[in-house]
Amino acid sequence: MAEAGPKIKRVYIVAVGGQGSAVLADWLFNAAQQAGYTAQTVGLPGLSQRGGSTSYYMEVLLGMEPDRPDADDVVFCHHPVPGEVDIILAQEFLELGRALQRGFASPSTAVIASTHRVYSLVEKVPASGGVAGDEDIRRLVAELTGHFTGFDALALARKNGLEEVAVNAILLGAVSASEVLPIGEGVYREAIRRTGVAVEANLSAFDLGCKHVTRKETSDDGVTPRRRDDCIQDLSARLPARRRRGFISLATSEVAEYDPRVQDTLVEACYLLTDYQDLAYAAGFLGAVKEIYSADSKDQGYELSRLFAAGLASLMSYEDVIQVARFKTSQRRFAGIRENMGIQEEQAYGVTDYFSPEVDEVLSVLPSALYRPRAALLRWLGWGGAVLRYRSPTTSLPGFLLLRLMTGMRRWRRRSQRYRREAEMWRYYQEAVAEFVRLDYDLGCLTARSAQMVKGYGAIRRRHVEALRLFLEEMLRPLTDREMAVGTGGFPLTLRVGRQACGLILGGEGGLERAQGLVAGVLRDLHDEKGYKAALRRLSTTTVATQ
Amino acid sequence: MGRNYSDDAIAQLNFGRGQVLRGDAFLILTKAMLQSGVGYLGGYPGAPVSGLYDVMEDAYHPVLESLGVVVNASANEASAAAMLAASVNNPIRGAINMKVVGTNVAADGLAHLSASGVKGGVMVVVGEDYGMDSTAVAERSLPYAFKSGLVCIDPVGDPATLALMVEEGFNISEYSHAPVLYMLRTRTGNLTGSLTCKDNRAPVISPRHPVEAMASDINFFPLPPYAFEQERLKFTERLDRAREYILKERLNRLVPGRKPVGIITHGLIYNTTCRALHLLGEAELSGNGTCAILALNVIHPLAPDEIAGFLRDKEQVLVVEEGSPNLLEEQVRAIAQQEGLSTRIYGKDILPHYGEYTPQVLVPGLGRFLAEKVYSVPEEEEALGRVKKRSVAMAGHLKKATSVAAPLPIRSPQFCAGCPERPVFSMLKLVERDRGRPYYAADSGCYAMGSLPPFYCDDSYTGMGMGLAAAAVASRVSQQPVVAFMGDGTFWHSGMATSVANAVYNRQDAVLVIFENGYTAMTGQQENPSSGVNLRGEEISSDIVKTLHSMGVKHVEVVDPYDVKSTLRAYKKAVESSEEGPRVLVARGECALERGRQQRAEDHKRLSKGKPVAWERLGVDVALCREDRSCVRPNGCPALTLDTNPSPVREDPVTTITAACTGCRLCGEMSHALALCPSFYGVKVTTNPRPWTRLWHGLNHALIHGLFRVEV
């Protein structure tokens, strides 16, 4: 809009509160001043320490010495103006997206951003979904900005053993290297020194940012996919020696019969289930997948088989107390904790686990014959739903021992009451997928994916399992029935309503009721073709959160 | 505590003539006060002026004390306003600060003070926040200046003017004997720039140069019959003298224009107006261009001569006045009418009545003024076309920006990691499951975030210290239990009288949760009487529990909020209690930010001496997480977040805990309380462990390794 752009450089910094962005703004201001420019920064720290959004806006007067008498005449603006910002510096990717949606960028804006995500609370609350898609933010970048330099500064910091706040100095380095401001590298360094906050760490972070941009690494590092054979080797190495050969043969010869697009999932699932139980268990899984696979089609890219394999493997690797105890006492787990927490050899450390299984969850690993009388007794005592709250000192011998005793039950798992229940459920799931795919391919996929609905432990898991059953029996089934009766071919309505219902069910508390309400409302209208068409029209104009 | 200014930053307050200070507006303002010979400072922290309070605190020992400046951390805004009484009969200058809603607390004091008038210059710095960046209420402080006959300064937003207006503010206050309101807007307060300094002036009366006795004059005692004369002085002499001073010292800024068209605006809105005109192609970056601009630094009183002089040679004038009521515009119209001027005056008929005047408002607004009222003749077709095009360009641009993708999620503020207030709200969510939702009365402070997601404990919010009092009727007419919240800062500010005394006196049936975290945390961990020390570092022994008892509260229980189980028990007991009147739970847990800061410093010291240092953190075994996020919903900790699912067969992200975790154990406690899952674990790590700690761990680890071949 303005022709006087070259006289003032306008820099907008957007960030997440409490992540050190005030220091970034300080460095930039000090660097501009030390480089001899008149500058002004306006901060909106707001509730910055409380994790809200925060922003800083800086104007730098170029082409005018600060001591020239008319330098004072320039009136700085305290607000960034939509479409009138030269540089957007985003410390986090969602904040960039939000700044772009508020129109601050134009095609002449240079954007320097870290692409890592700090999830906002509203993204974390729904039981599923809710997270802003990177694709949306990337589309905003593509359509609304000119020069984009984006990379995961957080990953870069971590890779180099720096703390999270190093993201700020890395970004400053990127600003320096991309030469968006007429300020020399040395001046930025000096600004870091003068500000006096973690100088050494920040200087090395600054170098990282500089180098990253100079090497033209302006986009994320691509991850080269590993070869499947390597993957199988790696996975087999994690299994006990006596199972390795069997797994390799299962994962190579048996899986080879499938389309390449399904193979990765199958290999991973076979490993998962071999590790979970044994080879026979994995072979049983493959047998079930084969049935669905035979109904699948190449034209659809074997999406159904992939979804079903993932769904079934996840149901078959249900977390009973055996599995939990097994993981909790595994070597892999402790190595992971030591690595994540940065625990050194010379430090002493202890782990306390928070367990709260229901009594029934523990009892149900018993064989049915042993389980039934005990469960009946508990019910009679009124302790059917009792919860065993236990803080396990897992790194001490007694704590470890108790958990290890549980893992011993693994060899009898397939006789357990829990197994019977679970097996019944996944057989039901398999039948439903087979049934719905006969009606419509996409419907089959939706059913296959619905296994992801099963989440949580104990009572929460029961609710989710029940939701899955209700979704299939009282939502998908009546919808398909009605759509076949009054529809005009295919299942566009069922698919749309089904996806919305699925999204609602996973959207958090009360979601199931909302989904039931939605479906009931739609079903009421499906008495004839006219009502059907009206419902279809209405649904295509409403946007409800879906998966 | 609070926002700590570095020693270097504070040292700049001692700068002399010609030296250049670099810093934020709070440093700049404080420096200007010292240059004006201010004798005492006070205030109550509140955004956007809490920075002033922080400078006052950080500068007390290194600068202010030796200059002889008296500093008080006022108990509330009324106490701050009352401080100003020193200047009524004595030639001592004083300044206090408060946020805009604080003026309502201070109103009684300010009314009396403005009746008496002052001998020494007096300045009330008010955090004007019409854009509601950090205030819940949008209101202007200007109407106070009107009704109380105060001088009101709203400075143009550059460091030099900010400082100059502080100095002139004291001068005008002394010259006119009227107290001065100085508006510091959010975007002015948080500005960083530089100032060429002058020498500081030590106050004439101070602890270093005490007077034998304070001067006193019955004529300025604000009671009838003296008050009748004071009323005359207030609205005639004092404001007249202020007008005289404004004209004499040319306190307002005049920018000439090429056309007989003018804009009258004020404070920071001038900066935005200049930029909007520049973007419309009507002015240079300096504001010079088509329209003349009268930028008011003093918005009350107006000098009619100045306004009439500006209007006289103009055909059209637009009053760009942010907010309602539009007192400036109405005065300008009145002056034009009195002077018999035919200038067409526009204002709220073109610009919005409410909301902050951002560039998004002013670019189209000024564009409309120019296009519809100024450029209307054929010979100015080109300018008209340009203005029209540019004033709608922004709307087009904004529309495009919003059309690319669905609105992205917002990022609302939340309790910090490890905050001792969060567990109380988590506990309440637990109780809600079985017992339904109580009536929640919110109050001012960090815990007001309990009204945001994921807690939504928010049935009323009435102002500082009023939460419990706001539920007075609910306590009588609703079957829900009433639960009110209050922080220690708010308790000492006004809550003990407004809410607690009121509840005891009226036997209000309610549970009051007092969060005693030791600081006025929301505004940056300033001390309050619960901190044990005051701003000067002197020890204080105020005690909330004793105070409650002596006020007549029978049921008081102190709980450790991190111990969810006991808090829950205490809460249920309080709700079910047959005790008449309010039952109080004091949730005692130090502000996690402040505790973290101290802990880090202490750990650093111990480590350097080779002493044992232990830290705790919680973690999630992501391999066991089954993605239902039931742990996030009653918690909302920033350290409890999501990550990609490591399982190749699961789609949804898992929950994880970041390094921001402070080890408060709430995640584990809630996982237990709600019987969520076995994913949570706590880790305690000791650096430089004592020999027996090392031995105990070593023995266990060796036995586990020997028996099970697992290296823990």
Side-chain angles (χ1 to χ4, degrees):
Chain A
M1 273 192 250
E3 54 279 315
K7 286 181 80 182
I8 286 193
K9 275 280 182 193
R10 300 153 301 182
V11 187
Y12 189 39
I13 305 174
V14 289
V16 179
Q19 309 274 321
S21 53
V23 180
L24 177 58
D26 266 2
W27 288 330
L28 271 174
F29 175 76
N30 288 337
Q33 286 222 323
Q34 278 158 36
Y37 301 113
T38 303
Q40 178 184 287
T41 300
V42 174
L44 268 189
L47 301 165
S48 58
Q49 286 176 318
R50 314 299 179 302
S53 296
T54 173
S55 66
Y56 297 83
Y57 177 59
M58 178 167 89
E59 294 201 340
V60 187
L61 182 58
L62 301 183
M64 218 183 248
E65 302 303 320
D67 41 4
R68 243 175 71 171
D70 52 349
D72 279 348
D73 288 351
V74 169
V75 179
F76 284 125
C77 186
H78 294 221
H79 296 265
V81 183
E84 297 290 333
V85 171
D86 301 299
I87 302 160
I88 293 181
L89 202 48
Q91 189 210 42
E92 192 264 357
F93 210 36
L94 174 65
E95 289 308 318
L96 172 65
R98 286 163 22 86
L100 298 181
Q101 278 197 328
R102 283 180 294 145
F104 288 115
S106 72
S108 63
T109 308
V111 174
I112 297 174
S114 177
T115 53
H116 78 274
R117 283 299 329 275
V118 175
Y119 297 109
S120 86
L121 192 60
V122 291
E123 295 181 278
K124 297 193 285 188
V125 166
S128 164
V131 172
D134 266 16
E135 324 79 60
D136 277 353
I137 305 173
R138 290 192 186 272
R139 200 159 60 240
L140 286 162
V141 168
E143 298 212 6
L144 300 171
T145 72
H147 319 277
F148 175 64
T149 307
F151 58 95
D152 189 333
L154 183 63
L156 194 61
R158 285 198 183 133
K159 210 167 77 186
N160 291 277
L162 294 164
E163 283 186 45
E164 286 181 25
V165 285
V167 166
N168 297 296
I170 291 176
L171 285 178
L172 189 73
V175 170
S176 168
S178 50
E179 296 174 349
V180 284
L181 285 168
I183 297 174
E185 199 182 304
V187 181
Y188 287 113
R189 285 173 191 285
E190 186 53 27
I192 292 179
R193 271 189 215 103
R194 282 206 191 187
T195 309
V197 178
V199 175
E200 286 315 310
N202 279 323
L203 282 176
S204 55
F206 177 84
D207 287 341
L208 284 176
C210 275
K211 276 195 211 120
H212 194 87
V213 171
T214 328
R215 276 188 276 131
K216 299 263 182 296
E217 294 167 3
T218 48
S219 60
D220 294 328
D221 301 339
V223 180
T224 40
R226 282 187 313 153
R227 285 183 50 240
R228 191 167 302 121
D229 286 349
D230 295 344
C231 195
I232 293 172
Q233 287 302 329
D234 288 357
L235 291 173
S236 71
R238 288 198 230 154
L239 290 169
R242 63 196 150 87
R243 288 196 179 143
R244 273 179 209 156
R245 191 157 350 128
F247 169 70
I248 293 173
S249 105
L250 196 69
T252 42
S253 58
E254 299 258 337
V255 170
E257 291 170 24
Y258 294 83
D259 186 88
R261 282 164 284 191
V262 197
Q263 287 182 8
D264 280 344
T265 309
L266 292 181
V267 168
E268 294 277 7
C270 283
Y271 163 74
L272 187 73
L273 297 170
T274 309
D275 178 63
Y276 181 82
Q277 188 63 30
D278 50 33
L279 280 163
Y281 200 61
F285 158 79
L286 275 184
V289 173
K290 195 162 213 163
E291 285 175 33
I292 297 296
Y293 185 75
S294 62
D296 205 347
S297 110
K298 193 175 179 181
D299 305 338
Q300 308 276 3
Y302 291 103
E303 178 71 357
L304 175 75
S305 300
R306 209 185 50 73
L307 289 171
F308 175 71
L312 183 63
S314 121
L315 292 178
M316 287 179 73
S317 57
Y318 62 95
E319 277 83 6
D320 53 9
V321 290
I322 304 168
Q323 175 66 3
V324 170
R326 214 174 143 243
F327 180 79
K328 288 280 185 185
T329 54
S330 67
Q331 177 76 67
R332 196 150 46 99
R333 177 199 185 210
F334 292 108
I337 290 177
R338 280 199 304 269
E339 194 193 322
N340 289 339
M341 303 263 175
I343 299 166
Q344 311 292 320
E345 200 57 52
E346 63 276 13
Q347 289 173 315
Y349 93 106
V351 173
T352 307
D353 282 299
Y354 291 84
F355 293 124
S356 50
E358 293 177 345
V359 179
D360 186 73
E361 234 174 321
V362 181
L363 272 190
S364 64
V365 298
L366 293 173
S368 307
L370 292 175
Y371 165 81
R372 273 195 216 105
R374 279 159 187 80
L377 176 68
L378 281 174
R379 270 196 301 279
W380 183 76
L381 288 169
W383 295 344
V387 172
L388 297 168
R389 294 189 171 82
Y390 171 56
R391 246 170 255 194
S392 158
T394 310
T395 41
S396 77
L397 185 63
F400 196 91
L401 205 59
L402 183 67
L403 293 183
R404 262 300 154 114
L405 286 176
M406 295 275 193
T407 63
M409 300 293 291
R410 179 158 158 250
R411 68 184 66 171
W412 297 293
R413 183 187 261 149
R414 295 180 78 164
R415 283 190 233 155
S416 72
Q417 175 71 13
R418 178 75 190 265
Y419 178 85
R420 285 171 64 135
R421 271 185 226 152
E422 297 291 332
E424 200 178 304
M425 207 250 293
W426 69 67
R427 273 194 290 272
Y428 164 73
Y429 163 69
Q430 184 184 346
E431 278 161 21
V433 173
E435 182 197 326
F436 282 109
V437 77
R438 275 197 293 276
L439 295 176
D440 181 85
Y441 189 82
D442 289 335
L443 212 49
C445 288
L446 181 63
T447 313
R449 172 166 268 157
S450 66
Q452 302 286 340
M453 243 182 228
V454 178
K455 294 176 183 299
Y457 287 79
I460 295 167
R461 189 170 193 273
R462 275 202 302 283
R463 273 206 301 280
H464 280 268
V465 169
E466 177 62 5
L468 170 64
R469 200 190 60 79
L470 287 173
F471 174 69
L472 296 175
E473 292 303 321
E474 292 183 14
M475 296 185 207
L476 280 198
R477 211 178 292 281
L479 280 169
T480 47
D481 287 351
R482 291 307 301 161
E483 190 155 19
M484 276 193 283
V486 298
T488 48
F491 294 90
L493 184 93
T494 304
L495 279 169
R496 193 161 281 157
V497 178
R499 287 193 186 117
Q500 289 187 3
C502 205
L504 286 171
I505 291 171
L506 291 173
E509 274 144 55
L512 177 63
E513 290 70 27
R514 280 196 289 280
Q516 284 172 320
L518 169 78
V519 172
V522 173
L523 283 174
R524 260 198 306 279
D525 293 345
L526 297 188
H527 37 72
D528 56 15
E529 197 180 316
K530 201 167 140 225
Y532 170 76
K533 282 186 173 158
L536 203 54
R537 253 198 319 278
R538 199 173 57 243
L539 280 163
S540 59
T541 52
T542 50
T543 46
V544 179
T546 57
Q547 274 209 308
Chain B
M1 276 150 249
R3 172 182 181 169
N4 292 329
Y5 285 84
S6 68
D7 293 348
D8 290 347
I10 291 294
Q12 299 181 100
L13 292 174
N14 280 323
F15 277 2
R17 189 172 194 81
Q19 284 182 282
V20 178
L21 173 150
R22 294 181 213 282
D24 62 18
F26 307 121
L27 271 176
I28 289 169
L29 248 69
T30 308
K31 176 66 180 140
M33 287 174 186
L34 299 180
Q35 291 174 176
S36 312
V38 74
Y40 61 93
L41 297 170
Y44 191 81
V49 291
S50 44
L52 268 180
Y53 189 99
D54 293 334
V55 174
M56 188 165 100
E57 176 171 358
D58 291 348
Y60 179 71
H61 288 295
V63 181
L64 304 177
E65 193 179 15
S66 54
L67 261 176
V69 180
V70 174
V71 179
N72 250 24
S74 312
N76 60 30
E77 294 85 352
S79 328
M83 259 182 111
L84 301 173
S87 300
V88 170
N89 290 309
N90 294 274
I92 179 168
R93 289 183 164 187
I96 57 166
N97 62 73
M98 61 189 67
K99 68 188 295 172
V100 61
V101 281
T103 53
N104 303 323
V105 179
D108 198 11
L110 291 179
H112 284 81
L113 187 82
S114 60
S116 301
V118 293
K119 271 212 179 55
V122 150
M123 183 170 294
V124 182
V125 183
V126 179
E128 188 83 347
D129 189 21
Y130 203 69
M132 291 191 280
D133 288 305
S134 51
T135 313
V137 185
E139 68 173 335
R140 309 183 73 185
S141 8
L142 179 60
Y144 269 115
F146 263 74
K147 71 133 187 116
S148 291
L150 307 170
V151 174
C152 187
I153 291 178
D154 185 7
V156 163
D158 62 78
T161 311
L162 291 184
L164 179 72
M165 282 302 134
V166 169
E167 293 170 347
E168 291 293 10
F170 282 115
N171 293 339
I172 197 170
S173 176
E174 257 163 40
Y175 188 79
S176 66
H177 303 298
V180 166
L181 279 188
Y182 185 108
M183 292 182 184
L184 189 63
R185 288 163 185 273
T186 309
R187 283 173 190 263
T188 321
N190 291 305
L191 154 165
T192 305
S194 47
L195 175 75
T196 308
C197 298
K198 298 177 192 162
D199 291 334
N200 288 345
R201 277 166 47 199
V204 283
I205 304 173
S206 74
R208 298 165 65 89
H209 305 286
V211 285
E212 211 164 278
M214 294 295 273
S216 183
D217 185 343
I218 191 69
N219 287 307
F220 297 107
F221 204 73
L223 267 186
Y226 317 107
F228 298 131
E229 170 63 5
Q230 288 161 16
E231 187 71 353
R232 183 188 71 80
L233 287 173
K234 184 161 69 177
F235 286 111
T236 57
E237 286 194 15
R238 290 184 207 151
L239 289 182
D240 276 347
R241 282 175 73 84
R243 290 186 182 101
E244 190 191 315
Y245 192 89
I246 293 165
L247 287 178
K248 193 174 76 184
E249 297 299 327
R250 295 170 184 253
L251 295 187
N252 297 321
R253 186 184 292 198
L254 184 66
V255 182
R258 284 193 299 271
K259 282 177 71 73
V261 177
I263 289 172
I264 299 178
T265 184
H266 59 113
L268 184 64
I269 317 304
Y270 164 72
N271 298 59
T272 316
T273 300
C274 285
R275 185 56 58 85
L277 289 171
H278 175 68
L279 293 173
L280 289 166
E282 293 292 310
E284 293 169 22
L285 281 168
S286 61
N288 280 301
T290 325
C291 307
I293 307 174
L294 176 62
L296 300 173
N297 281 313
V298 186
I299 57 172
H300 188 257
L302 296 185
D305 292 350
E306 185 176 44
I307 303 292
F310 183 77
L311 294 178
R312 195 157 283 125
D313 56 358
K314 307 289 185 302
E315 287 166 16
Q316 297 97 355
V317 165
L318 176 69
V319 182
V320 182
E321 180 187 11
E322 183 183 84
S324 287
N326 52 344
L327 299 170
L328 298 181
E329 181 189 339
E330 285 172 3
Q331 289 180 91
V332 170
R333 289 183 192 280
I335 292 167
Q337 193 260 345
Q338 278 163 349
E339 298 285 327
L341 300 172
S342 60
T343 313
R344 291 298 312 268
I345 295 164
Y346 304 94
K348 295 288 183 199
D349 43 354
I350 290 185
L351 296 167
H353 280 267
Y354 58 91
E356 196 179 11
Y357 277 8
T358 59
Q360 288 89 318
V361 172
L362 288 190
V363 169
L366 291 172
R368 217 162 51 239
F369 167 65
L370 290 162
E372 289 172 16
K373 312 295 181 195
V374 178
Y375 295 127
S376 44
V377 280
E379 58 262 31
E380 288 174 321
E381 215 161 303
E382 195 199 324
L384 182 65
R386 183 192 63 230
V387 166
K388 273 189 172 163
K389 196 173 137 222
R390 292 187 178 186
S391 58
V392 296
M394 191 186 285
H397 179 83
L398 288 171
K399 198 169 162 202
K400 185 180 175 215
T402 48
S403 67
V404 176
L408 291 168
I410 57 156
R411 194 187 295 283
S412 54
Q414 52 195 315
F415 293 106
C416 307
C419 177
E421 296 178 359
R422 174 185 296 108
V424 174
F425 290 98
S426 298
M427 179 275 292
L428 289 168
K429 290 283 119 178
L430 260 176
V431 182
E432 273 184 30
R433 286 168 182 252
D434 314 329
R435 303 189 170 200
R437 195 175 185 284
Y439 179 91
Y440 291 120
D443 209 312
S444 302
C446 290
Y447 45 91
M449 291 189 294
S451 61
L452 299 175
F455 300 116
Y456 304 104
C457 296
D458 55 353
D459 293 306
S460 63
Y461 179 72
T462 322
M464 191 131 165
M466 300 177 199
L468 177 58
V473 177
S475 280
R476 300 257 170 210
V477 303
S478 172
Q479 289 172 357
Q480 302 159 282
V482 165
V483 180
F485 306 111
M486 189 186 289
D488 47 4
T490 302
F491 178 84
W492 297 116
H493 172 276
S494 57
M496 59 177 174
T498 311
S499 277
V500 181
N502 179 66
V504 172
Y505 192 47
N506 290 293
R507 304 186 90 165
Q508 184 182 351
D509 179 13
V511 173
L512 172 66
V513 181
I514 296 183
F515 297 97
E516 194 183 17
N517 63 9
Y519 303 92
T520 301
M522 192 61 167
T523 46
Q525 292 86 40
Q526 288 84 7
E527 290 88 356
N528 67 42
S530 284
S531 312
V533 287
N534 66 14
L535 175 149
R536 286 186 285 270
E538 299 151 350
E539 280 188 29
I540 303 299
S541 58
S542 305
D543 186 322
I544 289 185
V545 174
K546 282 185 196 158
T547 309
L548 288 168
H549 281 308
S550 62
M551 287 175 83
V553 182
K554 301 249 170 48
H555 183 121
V556 182
E557 190 167 349
V558 180
V559 293
D560 169 8
Y562 298 112
D563 184 349
V564 176
K565 232 158 114 189
S566 321
T567 311
L568 184 71
R569 209 177 307 124
Y571 170 77
K572 284 184 177 164
K573 205 169 98 193
V575 170
E576 287 155 9
S577 165
S578 55
E579 196 72 64
E580 287 283 343
R583 280 87 68 191
V584 181
L585 291 186
V586 178
R588 192 175 282 165
E590 191 179 0
C591 169
L593 283 180
E594 193 57 32
R595 194 187 54 226
R597 244 174 245 152
Q598 289 166 4
Q599 190 72 51
R600 274 191 297 279
E602 200 182 303
D603 286 355
H604 191 73
K605 229 186 284 165
R606 288 177 66 89
L607 281 178
S608 63
K609 287 185 192 154
K611 287 187 178 168
V613 169
W615 53 263
E616 253 187 274
R617 245 177 73 186
L618 265 76
V620 170
D621 280 317
V622 290
L624 293 179
C625 172
R626 286 313 288 260
E627 319 113 10
D628 55 294
R629 305 191 205 169
S630 300
C631 51
V632 176
R633 281 188 287 277
N635 186 322
C637 176
L640 183 64
T641 186
L642 307 178
D643 203 357
T644 326
N645 201 321
S647 164
V649 297
R650 305 286 304 168
E651 287 182 359
D652 285 323
V654 290
T655 306
T656 186
I657 294 179
T658 69
C661 175
T662 65
C664 81
R665 303 188 195 167
L666 177 66
C667 296
E669 293 278 335
M670 289 306 283
S671 174
H672 253 190
L674 291 165
L676 292 182
C677 68
S679 321
F680 288 91
Y681 62 86
V683 172
K684 187 173 177 184
V685 181
T686 315
T687 315
N688 305 329
R690 291 208 167 84
W692 69 268
T693 315
R694 194 191 297 276
L695 187 71
W696 170 251
H697 280 93
L699 189 67
N700 275 292
H701 294 194
L703 282 170
I704 290 170
H705 188 240
L707 289 169
F708 304 106
R709 301 278 132 215
V710 173
E711 277 177 56
V712 298

